[in-house]
Amino acid sequence: MARFIVRRLLGMIFVLFAVSVIVFGIFFVIPNGAPENRMAGKQSTPQQIAAIRKDWGFDKPITTQYVKMMEKLVTGKNFKSYQQQRDVYAELREGLPRTFALAIGAAILWMAAGVALGVFSALRAGKKADFVVNVLALIGISIPVFWLGALVNHYLGYKLGLFPNGGYVPISEGGLWQWTYHLIMPWVVLSILFIGIYSRVLRSTILETMNEDFVRTARAKGISERRVIVRHVLRTSMIPILTLWGLDFGLVIGGGAILTETVFDLQGIGSYYADSVSQLDVPPIMAVTMLGAVFIVVLNTVVDILYAALDPRIRLT
Amino acid sequence: MFVLLVVMALCAPLYAKHVAHTTPDRNNITGKVTVGGEQRDVVSLDGIPIGPTWQGEYLLGADQNGRDVAVRLLYGARNSMFIALTATAITTILGIILGLLAGYYRGVVDWIISRSMDVLWAIPVLLLGVALGVSLALGGVKLGPLELSGDSLWIPTLIIGVVGVVYLARPLRGEVLRLREQEFVEAARAQGASGPRIMFGEIFPNIIATVLVFFPLLVANAVLLEAALSFLGAGVRDPDPSWGTMIGEGEKVIITQPALTIAPGLMLVLTVLSLNVVGEAVREAIDPRARVRLEQ
Amino acid sequence: MRRIPPRLVGLLAATALLGFAGCGGGDDSGGSETTAAKSGGTATGYGTSFPDYLDPALSYTVDGWQTLWVAYTPLLTYKHEEGVGGSTPVPGLAEELPKITDGGKTYTLTLRKGLKYSDGSPVKASDFEHSIKRVLNLESGGSAFYQNIVGANKYLEGGKANADISGITADDATGVITIKLNEPDGTFPFALAMPFASLVPADTPFANQTKNPPPGTGSFKITAVDGTKGFTLVKNENKPAIDAIPEAKLDTLKFTIVKSAARQGQDIINNKVDYIIDPPIGEQLREARVKMKGRFREITTNSTYYMFLNTRLAPFDNKQVRQAVNYGLNKPALARLFSGLMEPACNFLPPNMEGYEKLDPCPYGDPNGEPDLAKAKQLIQQAGATGAKVTVWGNDEDETRQVTVALADQLKAIGLDARPRIVEGSVYFQTIGNQKTKAQAGFANWFQDFPHPANFMFLVDGASIQETNNQNFGNVNDPVINSTLAKINQNADLAAVAPQYAQLDKRLIDEGLVAPYGNRKLTLTTSDRIAFDQVVWHPLYNVDYTTFALKQ
């Protein structure tokens, strides 16, 4: 087991290293992408450009530049964006609570609604209600989140005035109610897709589990159907859902909610990434991608290790 | 329904020529159009385009450049289909090859392929897509004799095709790992068949079912990803129409002309939904246990 | 709502704008009767994005300058007045305008006595050198304006923050500051009045101070910078008693960054916020025009939007083709793409600038009228350029994308085979400014850095052609223009050489060396609480926050 964990940890480090190289490479090779020309502004002079190159180390070979970038990324010292020389970690600290607020609320919502709908439709498998839930779930996973967000924003926010038209209010400024009020629409919109996925996954796992021996045994013992479902079936069926939940949560925290954030003007990590890419500002791009990769890789590994610990049948490869 | 959408996309030039009397690119900013016997600006002095006229010209209204939205919607369908189908073809081919190689040879080959997949998996799809979309569009792509201009449709196609490989290669690898221990493979190996021969002759026919289950879902995912990238400005570029960019443009005038946002979005939902339904049907028919994890 | 591309506020184009009396609010400045306003109180404002910097050495956008201008003061500055009154340099922290000697190469100024920064510390003459050093050492976008100072390049190349700039000497006892230039430069007084040259204390670090802006000598001080989400202007109680720096009427002006244009529009219409920096868009702009009487006006700025035509490349190396493009541009159509926030124009120089003489009649027909397509097609045919392939470059920022698409379509209409090519806004100018790109034609615009025609003419000066970071996108290299500019740019007496700039402007248009189509308009939008008729729209720095006052 210990060896397994060590191997997974080494794998993690390798993956993170590769991610950093890839992202750095993507933005290094762009023609006309030389950051010093952009930073010099419209009325640039050769002396000024030369000074920028020297100051920021753009005159060094690519490997040196990569090492320097990673050094800054890890230590956080003097890690500034090219464009407005802002401290990248300070920006992340501002964006993270916003993204976190979005992700936590949405994750709870999609988990609760996904499980409720999944159980509901599994219990009524083959009936009309099951069919309706299934169709709704299919529609849910077919709606582009940015489109839904734009419409909801317009009709519920602007037209009817039921909700604020986007934006984020920190608890410290507007109190708990304003914070929640501003996040309700983003939570719901972001959740729709996941609710669709989770309800369907849960439904099929429940149906599979119901046919397993231990459930039949339980039934034969005369335990009430309700108890069978809750104590035996649901408990087993929740494992894949919890796994999914961990992975998706990591994804959303790591900037995966970029569309929801931009549509609702939440200014979290995703929007920060979007802005940085449009300015080809490599330091924040590196920081956000690495942050996302860390969340995803760590959660993946944790899930794997837990799985291996819980289920000895899984081969430790 | 999906077939209907494809037919509509194919008929786009006919519609443009005979019903709307325009092309997808023609601007008409200061022009006028007669609606119900009344002359109306296609684009107002405030820059606000006309809404749906429910007649041949400007059926669904115009965009800010005075281009016919219905026509662009149909041409957008062509772009969407082209990108999604081609990208999925790329994904499928790459996915099969990588899955076979990794699953069959195991060892170093498997390690390299699996770790590469891990790396791709570790970057949120949209972040990677946007980064590639922006950087490749600036310089275009030069791969030997193949040269793509920065605004070529092939760029989002390639990106979506490559990014999608993770979805397919992993499950296929698992399947191949299982199959290679089966008796018929052992038998073929005993007869001295070469690796590639076993892979493509013996194992490949047995993974087709899985590939078929995945195919419609991958296409659906590609359609959504293309729209999202275009919405974020990293996909299809003007003057080529795309539903994603049309939603983005429409959103700016959503207060006056919500139709500009609603119409391309509905097309998207219908397309993806029909693909998901097809996928569902195929899955039920072939392998009810398969699960594709796709994300936005 | 914000997506990629963000609504960048002219990050590259330094934007300083000249007001144009006559658009709605212009008649107010006549001042027949004004609203009773009180002094003190708090007002709120929205910006679409955080200013590039809140550090005078670094900021190079109109968003930044608008704020910095009322918080920092250079040796020279501008009066807080609309139109021409606000566009000539006047003494700021200096007692008088500079004495120019040595054939235009030596500037002598004297610092006023007893000046204090907002934190109460004294202003010293040597702070000026420190301020210029910060501009150079931080490799600010403003460096180019001060590299003509003797020793500036040496200082820049040396990379040592505390080294001396030999061309600047300052005597803290007498307050005398002397600046020596390498070449005479008629625009240098304007450079001295730019926010870059604002004085900050000599202990201000050589680093971006946006998070914690240094003390200044303006009507306000900048406080409470909240990351990139907002900042606050508070009345400066230590404001120097100088005419050019008026007393702030408000106590506090609090800015919040709201990216959604729809939300900004909604809140200003409903009086939930007192002021928005950027114009409302779409339906809300229409609503503002109709309903917001007495708290909305449109102002034409000193900016030019034009299509550059690369005179080195076919087909635009042919004068007839370039003229055909000028005949064929549908300027009113382009104005609609800016929601009407554009005044169609014929000249390259913008109105209300010295050296502007309206080309009337315009050689290519009324800019507000229909284009002469027949004439354009005929010229293209004569030049044998029918069906020539043209790539029209543009970027993906708001309006620009639509304009580029429309420009390509208009070239198609006169017989060229044009296709738009949209690239990322952040690298657009870098891309077309690289000779290797071989950009044939495309979108370009310029907002003045200061009200001097030389600031526009360098865009078409053969001497400014570069391999990379070129700003003369069309590689305009006309011997007459080049030699005239070389001469008149050195003259510090602008009024004397203004007619010559006007002649160059005419020549540019006659030869079809550029294809300008209009001047950008901006809007001033406030809530009902603000005494709207007292708000000054400054020609360079747009809205003058010192004139904001709450109604009584």
Side-chain angles (χ1 to χ4, degrees), chain C residues 281-293:
Chain C
I281 64 168
E283 178 65 19
Q284 288 166 336
L285 177 60
R286 186 190 278 179
E287 208 176 321
R289 280 178 171 140
V290 179
K291 289 190 197 155
M292 294 176 69
K293 284 269 178 313

Side-chain angles (χ1 to χ4, degrees), chain A residues 30-255:
Chain A
I30 298 176
N32 297 314
E36 62 267 26
N37 290 353
R38 218 157 42 246
M39 292 156 81
K42 254 201 155 176
Q43 299 235 24
S44 62
T45 60
Q47 293 88 350
Q48 181 198 3
I49 289 178
I52 296 176
R53 284 174 65 82
K54 206 172 130 198
D55 248 28
W56 291 76
F58 297 143
D59 50 352
K60 302 266 175 8
I62 177 165
T63 43
T64 322
Q65 288 196 40
Y66 170 79
V67 172
K68 258 254 110 55
M69 173 78 73
M70 292 314 287
E71 193 185 306
K72 287 181 182 172
L73 179 74
V74 172
T75 60
K77 256 185 219 147
N78 206 16
F79 192 44
K80 285 183 195 151
S81 65
Y82 293 160
Q83 221 49 302
Q84 287 159 18
Q85 302 179 21
R86 291 185 180 142
D87 185 69
V88 176
Y89 278 103
E91 302 274 311
L92 285 182
R93 271 196 297 277
E94 268 178 51
L96 259 179
R98 291 157 180 256
T99 304
F100 212 73
L102 173 68
I104 290 262
I108 293 174
L109 187 62
W110 85 58
M111 191 68 178
V115 169
L117 280 178
V119 172
F120 176 81
S121 71
L123 290 183
R124 281 170 185 67
K127 299 208 180 104
K128 218 179 223 164
D130 173 39
F131 179 73
V132 172
V133 171
N134 244 324
V135 170
L136 284 180
L138 267 181
I139 294 178
I141 59 174
S142 304
I143 299 181
V145 50
F146 58 94
W147 181 67
L148 184 66
L151 291 190
V152 166
N153 221 351
H154 176 62
Y155 285 105
L156 300 183
Y158 181 79
K159 275 264 163 95
L160 295 177
L162 291 180
F163 294 99
N165 198 352
Y168 175 87
V169 176
I171 297 183
S172 58
E173 266 173 43
L176 191 63
W177 165 239
Q178 278 298 322
W179 177 81
T180 319
Y181 186 47
H182 278 79
L183 279 168
I184 291 177
M185 281 202 304
W187 281 339
V188 173
V189 168
L190 179 59
S191 302
I192 298 275
L193 165 81
F194 295 107
I195 295 176
I197 297 177
Y198 284 34
S199 63
R200 285 158 52 82
V201 170
L202 188 60
R203 174 184 178 274
S204 58
T205 26
I206 290 181
L207 290 181
E208 274 165 34
T209 324
M210 291 235 247
N211 289 325
E212 300 237 353
D213 291 342
F214 72 93
V215 178
R216 292 208 196 121
T217 323
R219 274 211 192 101
K221 277 194 205 154
I223 299 173
S224 75
E225 185 66 19
R226 196 195 172 85
R227 233 180 119 87
V228 173
I229 299 278
V230 176
R231 290 291 296 271
H232 300 274
V233 179
L234 200 53
R235 232 167 144 190
T236 328
S237 311
M238 281 305 279
I239 294 177
I241 289 287
L242 281 171
T243 318
L244 261 185
W245 193 75
L247 302 180
D248 288 334
F249 186 67
L251 188 78
V252 171
I253 294 271

